[in-house]
């Protein structure tokens, strides 16, 4: 997600946070200040890039996301 943010943001700052809200939970966050929200797209089978959001979609749906500013 960090490399995705670096490559696709128009912001000059990216924040990475690691929190441990309880002994059995860890929260990882990557944030930037994008001009627009990212859109999920299906890459071609032989594409060398374009899978960043696809790879995190399933765990994000299972574990949840938030839009913090």
């Amino acid at each position: 997600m960090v490399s995705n943010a670096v490559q696709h943001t128009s912001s000059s700052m990216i924040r990475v946070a690691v929190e441990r809200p309880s002994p059995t939970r860890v929260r990882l966050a990557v944030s930037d200040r994008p001009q627009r929200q990212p859109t999920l797209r299906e890459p071609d089978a032989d594409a060398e890039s374009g899978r960043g959001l696809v790879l995190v979609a399933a765990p994000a749906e299972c574990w949840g996301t938030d839009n913090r500013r």
Side-chain angles (χ1 to χ4, degrees), residues 8-11 31-38 69:
H8 296 290
T9 191
S10 58
S11 175
S31 60
D32 60 10
R33 298 218 183 255
Q35 297 297 318
R36 58 184 166 72
Q37 291 293 316
R69 292 282 175 186

Side-chain angles (χ1 to χ4, degrees), residues 7-28:
Q7 183 176 1
H8 296 290
T9 191
S10 58
S11 175
S12 63
M13 186 176 82
I14 295 168
R15 185 177 73 164
V16 177
V18 180
E19 302 171 11
R20 189 172 183 193
S22 75
T24 59
R25 294 179 59 209
V26 174
R27 182 177 188 274
L28 305 173

Side-chain angles (χ1 to χ4, degrees), residues 34-56:
Q35 297 297 318
R36 58 184 166 72
Q37 291 293 316
T39 55
L40 186 63
R41 58 186 166 95
E42 278 298 318
D44 293 332
D46 58 348
E48 293 183 9
S49 64
R51 291 177 178 77
L53 293 177
V54 174
L55 291 173
V56 299

